[in-house]
Amino acid sequence: MAHLLSVRIYNSTEIYTALSSSKPPKFAKKTQQPNTAISPRRSGPAVPARKAQKLNLEVSPHRAVSAVRLMRIELGGAFADLLNEKGKGSGDNEMGYVERTLGFRTRDLDDRDLRLVTDVVGGTIRWRRYLDHLILSLCHDENTFGRMEPLLLQILRIGFYEIVKLEMPPYAVVDENVRLAKVALRPGAGNMVNGILRKLVLLKENNSLPLPKLEGNDRAQARALATLHSHPVWMVRRWRKYLGHGEAIKLMMWNNSDPSFSLRANSGKSFTRAHLSERLRMLKVPHELSPHLDDFVRIRTGMQIVIQAGLLKEGLCSVQDESAGLVVSVVDPQPGESIIDCCAAPGGKTLFMASCLSGQGMISAIDINKGRLRILRETAKLHQVDDVITTVHADLHIFAGHNQVKSDKVLLDAPCSGLGVLSKRADLRWNRRFEDMEQLKDLQDKLLDAASMLVKPGGVLVYSTCSIDPEENEERVAAFLLRHPEFCIDPVNRSVPPDFVTEHGFYFSNPVKHSLDGAFAARLVRS
């Protein structure tokens, strides 16, 4: 996927490289804080000026790490899904971030802590709107909530999520989060956390949480649904328009569920699905074979075990959703073909296509982002498919205008809203705006025009997204065909199972219906 608004899910091999090469976020310089429970939220992470302690065994390590990671995500320093086998953050040990942000270290994370961090961080991000509604309701003062410093807000969100959604022992949660607030901030902050969390516990025990009612006009109902299911209002209104009320609710429930993952066995290293299945059995990781793709298996739990066993680091398999694998099926790469992947990096689909070529043919992987192309090159070497991949650092528009050689097949995996992958990218729903959609549609049109110039007569152009929005999918193809009558639709029924074929001959995976990420692909042939 391309630059600008890229939303592709990184596979785990790519995550290792990204983590080791990225820089830690720059936090605000530590200053002495007044002994009050609130300070302006926009001032950045507020950290008291104190000499860093070497170790604090009283503070819950998973809560300390979760609070810091949530701040880094919200303030732009990390993605929610970047977690490697030792619980490290980008570029430095996780406890290094904890010490610089909170002023102390806790003990190192064990496997149970890692699972809790994953659950708490992902869940807190997913349910952020819902949690903030509850916190605001219990503050009884909008100014208190609006001016709350970032670290204090994250501690409250963690406590609310653990009590309301994880249903942990409530008073243990209160004690642990109060201790974190007191040590990381000051006693007054701990007292505030104590008061608010204890109110929450009483309301939950009495089954009287202050939740909005689904009533009023469409706009009011959309606002209530957005709070109850923790999504932006504009997404709720859009889905009710295109999907209907019931299907919109089902989609939001899917987005809020724990994500499942698929692993693709790397045939480039002669590592088959049977080999992968045997290794997973040895590791006691529950799994099932994909009914759609020969190289894929599905796992719901045990990803940390897979990572720690080195299967990803050794290039024996990669994390890739079946919805993305089915896009490659639509391309149908064959040995000996020349293929251009227009917005390739970091390269999940590129690598799968390369493995299909069996060492014969060539893929030109184009991307404007140098760092992501480097990840692709390194991963291609790891997977032993670099002999058929050539990386090209270029803007697609400029490359297409100057390139005289046309290819058999061209894949444009376009920058999109990512509305099909919200179950895995919990943070993405809060980073998208309604205004983005028009900008994306314009970009998608321009990229399609450029990609079409690279297709030889009789060749194939595949346009794909990880979006479920018809304006980014069917409508973009229809607009393209009006501008380019030399292309026509080639139905995908020969490439993917019938359940994934739309009435217009496109590929579409529906998250609710297929229990996969949402994805779209159109196969277009040049006459």
Side-chain angles (χ1 to χ4, degrees):
M1 195 159 294
H3 51 98
L4 294 179
L5 295 169
S6 173
V7 293
R8 175 181 291 179
I9 298 295
Y10 293 100
N11 70 40
S12 294
T13 303
E14 296 158 356
I15 288 173
Y16 289 121
T17 313
L19 287 174
S20 63
S21 62
S22 57
K23 296 179 180 179
K26 295 179 179 179
F27 288 100
K29 186 177 180 181
K30 297 180 180 180
T31 56
Q32 185 68 39
Q33 298 294 322
N35 189 26
T36 59
I38 55 174
S39 62
R41 187 186 302 176
R42 294 187 179 87
S43 64
V47 182
R50 62 163 69 90
K51 185 177 180 180
Q53 303 170 22
K54 289 185 177 180
L55 185 66
N56 188 313
L57 297 178
E58 296 180 354
V59 171
S60 165
H62 90 260
R63 292 182 177 90
V65 169
S66 295
V68 172
R69 193 175 290 186
L70 284 166
M71 286 212 303
R72 291 177 57 214
I73 292 165
E74 190 162 334
L75 298 171
F79 287 117
D81 54 349
L82 296 189
L83 173 66
N84 74 2
E85 82 280 15
K86 294 181 181 177
K88 293 180 181 178
S90 302
D92 192 11
N93 186 278
E94 188 99 54
M95 284 305 160
Y97 283 111
V98 171
E99 183 169 15
R100 288 195 295 276
T101 309
L102 305 183
F104 59 88
R105 289 174 175 258
T106 69
R107 64 169 172 80
D108 289 335
L109 301 174
D110 57 24
D111 289 346
R112 178 180 178 276
D113 293 324
L114 280 173
R115 288 192 294 271
L116 282 170
V117 169
T118 301
D119 289 345
V120 169
V121 171
T124 302
I125 294 170
R126 281 189 190 91
W127 290 100
R128 192 177 84 185
R129 184 184 182 94
Y130 176 84
L131 299 174
D132 285 358
H133 168 82
L134 294 178
I135 295 170
L136 175 59
S137 299
L138 270 61
C139 282
H140 299 301
D141 181 357
E142 195 167 332
N143 290 330
T144 299
F145 178 81
R147 296 175 56 223
M148 196 176 291
E149 58 201 286
L151 178 56
L152 181 56
L153 178 59
Q154 301 303 346
I155 292 172
L156 281 171
R157 284 172 175 168
I158 290 170
F160 272 60
Y161 177 71
E162 290 179 329
I163 291 170
V164 176
K165 292 298 181 180
L166 290 185
E167 296 192 336
M168 290 182 172
Y171 290 102
V173 172
V174 174
D175 290 344
E176 293 284 356
N177 283 285
V178 166
R179 185 178 296 117
L180 174 59
K182 285 184 176 181
V183 177
L185 291 166
R186 60 198 164 273
N191 294 337
M192 184 179 187
V193 170
N194 182 62
I196 294 176
L197 288 183
R198 287 183 179 273
K199 286 181 187 176
L200 174 69
V201 172
L202 290 175
L203 289 171
K204 185 172 184 296
E205 288 176 346
N206 294 326
N207 197 27
S208 56
L209 292 176
L211 299 177
K213 294 182 179 179
L214 194 59
E215 57 188 15
N217 58 24
D218 285 348
R219 190 179 295 270
Q221 289 187 35
R223 285 197 298 268
L225 284 171
T227 297
L228 291 170
H229 296 280
S230 197
H231 281 70
V233 175
W234 73 266
M235 285 187 190
V236 177
R237 298 188 68 190
R238 197 173 185 89
W239 291 337
R240 292 181 86 201
K241 170 186 173 183
Y242 284 122
L243 304 175
H245 179 81
E247 289 301 311
I249 290 177
K250 289 179 183 178
L251 178 59
M252 289 188 284
M253 291 174 66
W254 166 263
N255 291 340
N256 287 332
S257 63
D258 292 332
S260 59
F261 295 91
S262 295
L263 300 174
R264 178 177 65 83
N266 178 19
S267 58
K269 278 192 169 183
S270 301
F271 191 74
T272 66
R273 180 167 73 173
H275 294 139
L276 176 57
S277 183
E278 178 61 26
R279 290 289 292 272
L280 292 175
R281 278 193 292 270
M282 292 171 60
L283 293 169
K284 298 181 179 180
V285 174
H287 64 283
E288 58 183 82
L289 304 183
S290 164
H292 311 305
L293 293 160
D294 292 339
D295 293 334
F296 286 69
V297 301
R298 299 173 175 179
I299 66 171
R300 185 163 290 278
T301 60
M303 181 60 76
Q304 282 298 322
I305 297 173
V306 172
I307 295 172
Q308 290 168 356
L311 295 179
L312 303 170
K313 211 167 189 178
E314 295 169 22
L316 298 176
C317 65
S318 58
V319 180
Q320 187 168 38
D321 196 79
E322 290 169 68
S323 63
L326 287 166
V327 170
V328 174
S329 296
V330 172
V331 178
D332 189 26
Q334 297 295 320
E337 289 181 335
S338 62
I339 301 173
I340 295 178
D341 191 348
C342 291
C343 303
K349 295 181 180 70
T350 314
L351 297 170
F352 188 15
M353 289 193 295
S355 70
C356 296
L357 296 184
S358 301
Q360 303 173 50
M362 181 55 64
I363 299 177
S364 298
I366 303 171
D367 204 274
I368 199 169
N369 189 306
K370 243 181 195 179
R372 287 157 61 88
L373 274 180
R374 177 180 55 78
I375 293 172
L376 195 160
R377 283 195 300 272
E378 292 175 358
T379 311
K381 289 179 182 177
L382 180 66
H383 284 227
Q384 296 181 358
V385 293
D386 53 311
D387 56 331
V388 295
I389 296 177
T390 300
T391 58
V392 182
H393 177 230
D395 183 300
L396 179 62
H397 305 91
I398 298 173
F399 179 86
H402 291 84
N403 185 65
Q404 300 300 317
V405 180
K406 311 301 180 186
S407 292
D408 299 308
K409 291 171 180 173
V410 174
L411 170 62
L412 174 61
D413 187 27
C416 68
S417 64
L419 296 183
V421 298
L422 296 184
S423 69
K424 289 190 175 71
R425 279 295 303 274
D427 59 321
L428 191 58
R429 70 185 72 178
W430 311 121
N431 296 331
R432 284 286 173 265
R433 301 173 304 154
F434 174 76
E435 293 77 13
D436 294 338
M437 303 302 289
E438 289 302 317
Q439 297 175 18
L440 281 166
K441 286 156 53 178
D442 181 61
L443 175 62
Q444 289 155 358
D445 286 342
K446 290 177 180 177
L447 291 173
L448 260 171
D449 290 340
S452 68
M453 299 168 63
L454 302 172
V455 184
K456 73 178 187 181
V460 173
L461 169 63
V462 174
Y463 170 74
S464 72
T465 71
C466 53
S467 175
I468 57 173
D469 196 287
E471 292 187 19
E472 295 185 90
N473 296 337
E474 292 90 345
E475 291 187 20
R476 300 281 55 75
V477 174
F480 171 79
L481 293 175
L482 287 176
R483 298 193 305 273
H484 295 272
E486 71 275 18
F487 282 86
C488 63
I489 297 171
D490 183 20
V492 303
N493 53 290
R494 297 184 305 275
S495 306
V496 299
D499 200 37
F500 292 93
V501 182
T502 72
E503 60 178 327
H504 299 295
F506 303 136
Y507 156 70
F508 181 70
S509 63
N510 182 314
V512 175
K513 179 181 179 181
H514 300 117
S515 297
L516 302 175
D517 286 347
F520 170 89
R523 184 179 166 98
L524 310 171
V525 175
R526 184 169 195 162
S527 61

